[in-house]
Amino acid sequence: MYESKRPYHYGTGRRKASVARVRVYENGTGSITINGRDIDEYFGLETLKLIVRQPLNTTGMINKVDIICTVEGGGVTGQAGAIRHGVSRALLDVNPEFRAQLKAAGFLTRDPRMKERKKYGLKAARRAPQFSKR
C-alpha cells in the first residue's frame, strides 16, 4: 500500500505493446478513470469495458473500489487487457485471498502474444518478396 493524500494499492499490467499503471483506492464508489477520462468516454466498445471490469466482478469489488490508471502503447484491445492485468495485480494487494479466484479466471497470467519482428530479406515477419521468373 502506498501513502499519499489517499492510500492506494498499485499494479502494473501488460499486454502486447501496452503498459498500464493501475491504482486501486479502497472505500470507493466504483468509478474507473483511464488517462484522466471516464471509462465510458475512453472505450467505445462495451466488450472492452467488460474486459476491464472482469476482475472486479470475479472478486465482488465492483462498487467498493475506485480505479485510476494510466495506459500507453498498443491499441484499444491491448490497453484493455493491460488494465485488466494491472487491476488483478492490485486487487491481490488489497486482499491476498482473491488469488485463487483471479488465477482460476486467468487474469494474473500475462498474455505473451507479441508482434513478431521483421527479418532481413523479407518484407514483413514471414512475408517473402514476390518471386520473379524474369
Side-chain angles (χ1 to χ4, degrees):
M1 183 174 341
Y2 296 91
E3 294 292 330
S4 63
K5 292 177 185 151
R6 197 169 149 206
Y8 62 89
H9 300 275
Y10 180 80
T12 305
R14 294 181 189 88
R15 185 178 192 280
K16 288 187 168 183
S18 302
V19 179
R21 298 182 316 223
V22 180
R23 292 178 178 188
V24 173
Y25 295 91
E26 289 186 88
N27 305 324
T29 58
S31 70
I32 301 174
T33 308
I34 304 165
N35 291 351
R37 291 156 55 191
D38 188 56
I39 187 170
D40 297 317
E41 192 182 324
Y42 193 81
F43 289 125
L45 295 172
E46 205 59 44
T47 52
L48 298 175
K49 297 173 197 172
L50 191 76
I51 287 170
V52 172
R53 291 187 176 116
Q54 278 177 329
L56 299 172
N57 288 330
T58 304
T59 56
M61 299 288 284
I62 193 76
N63 288 324
K64 298 177 184 172
V65 294
D66 287 340
I67 296 171
I68 297 177
C69 66
T70 309
V71 65
E72 52 194 29
V76 287
T77 307
Q79 288 188 351
I83 293 168
R84 178 176 76 178
H85 190 219
V87 168
S88 301
R89 284 178 157 187
L91 285 174
L92 278 186
D93 198 32
V94 173
N95 186 354
E97 293 173 11
F98 290 153
R99 184 168 192 82
Q101 294 172 298
L102 294 170
K103 188 112 175 118
F107 300 148
L108 296 176
T109 308
R110 186 217 188 278
D111 194 340
R113 294 175 294 176
M114 297 281 282
K115 185 175 180 177
E116 191 175 337
R117 77 170 191 88
K118 182 194 173 297
K119 279 75 168 192
Y120 62 88
L122 300 180
K123 289 188 172 289
R126 299 182 185 206
R127 169 84 172 95
Q130 188 170 359
F131 176 74
S132 171
K133 197 171 219 177
R134 281 171 205 75

